[in-house]
Amino acid sequence: MAVRIDIQAFHDSVPSAVREASTRLLATGGVGDLELTGGGIQAVVLDRGTAVQPWVGIVAGNFTGECDCGTADEDLCAHAVAVALTAFDNDVAFSGAATPPSAVSVSPDHEDYLQAAQRLAPRQLANLVAGHAVRDRLFATRLLAEANMLHGADHTGLQDFRAVLRDASNATTGRWEISDVEAAGHRLASEVEILCARPASLAMLDLVEEAIPVWDELSGHLRDAYHIARTEPEEITDSLLCAHRDLCDSLDLDPEDVTDRLNRLVERCHYELDISGYIDLPLG
């Protein structure tokens, strides 16, 4: 159940020093995009070059905040106040029984990694992350996206996927083996995941719609050689369709547009496409 918050009472309850600091953060555009989580709101806040992620919500009837800035008292820190004020300005509805991040249970393995990361100095952690990003393109793309350093599928990202799509189209040119078809499919699945780690764009959707018929054509070779193939054709098809469905959802396309795109895909493919994943999307 959403609750109404007395904004004036909230203002009056915030110490003047905290209020002034939160005003500075708001004036400098330090509060990032709001994200609904656990019935509350969180956002990345940049404070003099340092990023923190405060969360605010109503817990046990009290307006509560958590932040990784290190503030230990019971009052909300300036980062949490800035997020709260931004949420109020955007008329965000708060749940009357929110769950703060600290109360969310995680798997033992995840907890171990969190503890390990928290034991590292910021520079140690940054170097470790950067080193992994150099070796893993998907992780690198996600890292840049989380840091708001990606602006859609730029020219390089689109060109990378076009090159993979071109290679896949030529997988059965000249001398080839079933393993070449499988490798092309797995590379398509990996590259579409990298592509879609970027903010969604129509150009990305168009490329995925090129990739699905290309793989549909290639998948026929796996179906014919089912007795030696190690990859199920649907394994790759499902990855591509999932990416297509998520892009349609992220772009908030008109229902008729989604339907037209699906119909064109079905017409271009020789084998039946499982479009059950689109059931929760509005279709024309």
Side-chain angles (χ1 to χ4, degrees), residues 113-257:
Y113 292 135
L114 283 176
Q115 290 181 6
Q118 291 164 356
R119 291 186 180 185
L120 297 178
R123 187 168 60 182
Q124 283 180 294
L125 183 59
N127 285 334
L128 189 64
V129 169
H132 185 58
V134 170
R135 298 187 299 273
D136 187 326
R137 291 177 54 239
L138 175 58
F139 179 79
T141 304
R142 288 175 172 169
L143 173 64
L144 294 175
E146 287 289 333
N148 291 320
M149 294 173 66
L150 284 177
H151 305 287
D154 57 20
H155 179 73
T156 300
L158 294 175
Q159 285 298 100
D160 286 347
F161 192 78
R162 286 194 185 99
V164 172
L165 187 55
R166 186 169 54 251
D167 289 345
S169 301
N170 295 325
T172 55
T173 300
R175 298 181 61 182
W176 60 274
E177 299 177 352
I178 284 297
S179 60
D180 296 319
V181 175
E182 292 176 309
H186 286 296
R187 190 176 177 202
L188 272 177
S190 296
E191 289 294 328
V192 80
E193 190 176 4
I194 293 173
L195 181 72
C196 293
R198 298 169 175 270
S201 72
L202 282 173
M204 292 164 57
L205 181 61
D206 290 341
L207 273 179
V208 175
E209 289 181 353
E210 290 182 38
I212 292 172
V214 167
W215 172 248
D216 179 78
E217 183 74 26
L218 287 174
S219 71
H221 297 293
L222 295 188
R223 299 173 196 275
D224 292 340
Y226 67 90
H227 54 292
I228 60 172
R230 294 172 297 177
T231 301
E232 292 291 336
E234 290 76 17
E235 180 182 342
I236 310 302
T237 303
D238 290 349
S239 296
L240 298 175
L241 278 177
C242 182
H244 184 269
R245 183 253 179 239
D246 288 347
L247 285 171
C248 289
D249 189 22
S250 297
L251 292 169
D252 195 22
L253 296 183
D254 183 81
E256 286 75 15
D257 188 10

Side-chain angles (χ1 to χ4, degrees), residues 79-96:
H79 310 114
V81 171
V83 169
L85 294 176
T86 303
F88 298 157
D89 287 344
N90 285 274
D91 296 322
V92 173
F94 285 85
S95 166

